[in-house]
Amino acid sequence: MKESEEIVAVPSRSDRMRSVQMPVMGFVADLMRNNPGTISLGQGVVHYGPPDRALEAARQAVTLPNTHGYGYVIGRSKLRSAFAQKLNAENHLDPGYEVVVTAGSNMAFFVSLLAVTSPGDEVILLVPYYFNHEMATHIAGCKPVLISLGDSLTPDVDTIAHAITPRTRAIVTISPNNPTGIVYAPDTLRAINDLCAAHGIYHMSDEAYEYFTFDGAVHYSPGSAHGAHVHTISLFSMSKAYGMAGWRLGYMAVPPHILADIRKIQDTNQICPAMISQTMALAALEDGADYCRQYMDSMADVRTMVKERLSTVKAPVTVSPSEGAFYFLLSVETELDAKALTTRLIQEYGVAVIPGDTFGMTDGTYLRVAYGALQVSTLTEALNRLVKGLEALVG
């Protein structure tokens, strides 16, 4: 070795992070960039933006000095009060919880997860899970305990009960569900909540799609059960209903005894939710749920169109009986795995979906189709491409 050469020791990666899957949206986005003209049925967002009054509030906030400084770690008191009024009036949450404003419901989940677990603890996730929940569980140093929902795509409470061990700290539910679109029955969610109460563990209830229900399905907040404020963490978002995904604003209702730890985590992680986003959220709440609901009739029509078009596929494809959110889960009989099928649909047919293995659906080939982000004309073309691709690749 020459004297001028130096030995450079490369620091090792985190062992904890090796078990965390790569974000699927980046995988799909890279494929789309390499295949211009691809239409996306992958991104889980709505086609509309924030209310006009929220946009106007943001424009005015830009000129205000307090927009550019730090805010209160768990959110502005006026906004927290507005969320509390909403949670009381619409979700009927059991009194006694604390409201925390976060940078989206993803942040709410991660912050609360860190507050209630220690490394090595177990968190029960129902498969298919939301991929960021599974990723966050690994990052927190915990073990995801995966419970398959089976062909019904609905929880079986007895199966969940048998999975509880002394290391279990939480059970996570998502209703309306991402990625299936299934809306869990109130009795099922109540039974899971009772199970958590009996075992002294937390029920983490993700309700980001609370307003997106169809065919008479009813959204139920398990935090509304008597005494639920002691063990239920209810997660909500402004991203979907108010078209504010890029503004990163969510909120949660948490048991008072974990608030001090949540303050520590949130202060360390983000200091405070973005001030301008909080201003927008407060203005958006003046429109309230009616803002989202004005789009529900047209979205219901789009949902019916998507369901009918997918039913015409001349290929071995089963479509989930979605009653909520804006997703359908497709089960495809093929030798191709989900990522390979997704790749070929993008490269050969110009349509993007999300591979089901990222949601833990590894026993077969599954695809998530999202229909909330596109106008009807573009959606029609995307569905034509998807049907053509499925019939050619797996028919």
Side-chain angles (χ1 to χ4, degrees), residues 201-380:
I201 59 180
Y202 293 94
H203 184 180
M204 302 180 73
S205 174
D206 187 328
E207 304 175 39
Y209 301 90
E210 60 179 323
Y211 298 139
F212 297 88
T213 57
F214 309 99
D215 290 348
V218 176
H219 169 68
Y220 172 76
S221 294
S224 63
H226 179 67
H229 70 278
V230 176
H231 64 278
T232 308
I233 298 169
S234 304
L235 311 171
F236 300 90
S237 174
M238 299 295 285
S239 295
K240 313 300 181 183
Y242 293 92
M244 287 178 56
W247 291 94
R248 308 314 306 132
L249 203 290
Y251 58 105
M252 58 181 172
V254 303
H257 64 270
I258 67 171
L259 183 62
D261 289 333
I262 283 175
R263 287 175 188 264
K264 299 174 191 176
I265 298 162
Q266 187 137 305
D267 184 74
T268 303
N269 200 23
Q270 65 177 117
I271 299 180
C272 67
M275 295 299 287
I276 195 167
S277 299
Q278 292 189 69
T279 298
M280 287 186 66
L282 189 59
L285 288 176
E286 293 181 36
D287 283 277
D290 287 343
Y291 181 72
C292 174
R293 288 175 179 143
Q294 69 180 307
Y295 296 101
M296 285 302 97
D297 286 345
S298 61
M299 190 167 284
D301 291 340
V302 168
R303 170 183 168 273
T304 298
M305 181 190 80
V306 173
K307 186 177 181 179
E308 291 177 351
R309 187 69 180 98
L310 291 175
S311 70
T312 68
V313 179
K314 295 180 176 63
V317 176
T318 302
V319 183
S320 65
S322 167
E323 310 112 347
F326 31 76
Y327 304 116
F328 285 102
L329 186 70
L330 309 187
S331 173
V332 185
E333 293 183 31
T334 175
E335 295 299 317
L336 295 170
D337 64 39
K339 281 194 172 65
L341 181 54
T342 298
T343 299
R344 293 192 63 179
L345 285 169
I346 293 173
Q347 292 177 338
E348 300 174 31
Y349 295 91
V351 61
V353 292
I354 301 300
D357 54 357
T358 195
F359 303 101
M361 303 290 280
T362 56
D363 186 17
T365 300
Y366 296 85
L367 306 174
R368 190 193 75 177
V369 173
Y371 59 84
L374 302 177
Q375 299 296 333
V376 172
S377 59
T378 307
L379 180 60
T380 299

Side-chain angles (χ1 to χ4, degrees), residues 136-151:
T137 301
H138 280 296
I139 293 172
C142 297
K143 176 186 176 183
V145 176
L146 308 182
I147 305 297
S148 174
L149 296 180
D151 293 339

